[in-house]
Amino acid sequence: MGSCEALGSPMQTEFPVTPGIELVLDGPEKPFELVPVLHGKRKRSGLMKEEISIFTNMTTVVKEVATAIRESKTLDVHPDLYGVVVEQGGFNNEALMATLGHLLDNKARGVGFVAMADAHRVLWLRRWVGKHYY
């Protein structure tokens, strides 16, 4: 509709001509239905079975490589860490094992804990257990 014309009267416009596509007009004066010509080409949707098989095999190989890397990781722990943590008095075994797990995950803290004096270890354990365990 044009901006200054009454409702119901169509706006007169020229349509650009696109090669290979014929325009379909709706209305009573339509002589016959015209459709776009696509030359029988269709988009390929999804993946082919061969591609799915390749991706599945690649996924399996990557998982195996990741497992091999994890298994070959060397465990670098201070040799006295377990004994120093477990021998601390005044704490239950659950708290000591949680502390040992934390110190094993954080190598620098574990080495520092072994190097501390006994009084400082007790202070560190009280603070850490109080903050994280209880």
Side-chain angles (χ1 to χ4, degrees):
M1 298 295 161
S3 61
C4 299
E5 297 179 15
L7 293 175
S9 60
M11 187 170 87
Q12 300 297 324
T13 60
E14 293 287 327
F15 292 106
V17 178
T18 305
I21 297 179
E22 300 174 7
L23 183 62
V24 177
L25 299 174
D26 277 341
E29 48 292 322
K30 177 171 77 170
F32 53 88
E33 188 171 331
L34 303 173
V35 294
V37 178
L38 297 176
H39 303 292
K41 291 185 179 178
R42 177 178 93 159
K43 278 190 170 181
R44 188 174 90 181
S45 61
L47 298 173
M48 297 176 68
K49 289 181 182 179
E50 297 167 354
E51 292 172 331
I52 292 173
S53 175
I54 291 171
F55 286 134
T56 303
N57 292 339
M58 287 174 57
T59 303
T60 305
V61 169
V62 169
K63 286 180 181 178
E64 289 175 2
V65 168
T67 302
I69 290 171
R70 270 190 239 117
E71 289 175 357
S72 67
K73 184 178 177 182
T74 59
L75 186 61
D76 191 17
V77 179
H78 194 284
D80 297 330
L81 181 63
Y82 177 80
V84 170
V85 172
V86 173
E87 292 173 359
Q88 294 300 311
F91 299 97
N92 64 18
N93 287 336
E94 291 179 38
L96 291 175
M97 293 312 291
T99 303
L100 179 63
H102 172 71
L103 294 174
L104 288 172
D105 290 339
N106 299 288
K107 179 185 174 189
R109 289 185 181 181
V111 171
F113 186 79
V114 172
M116 287 181 191
D118 287 336
H120 293 148
R121 283 188 200 136
V122 172
L123 291 174
W124 188 92
L125 271 170
R126 282 187 194 159
R127 184 182 58 85
W128 191 87
V129 169
K131 184 177 180 182
H132 296 283
Y133 187 71
Y134 291 108

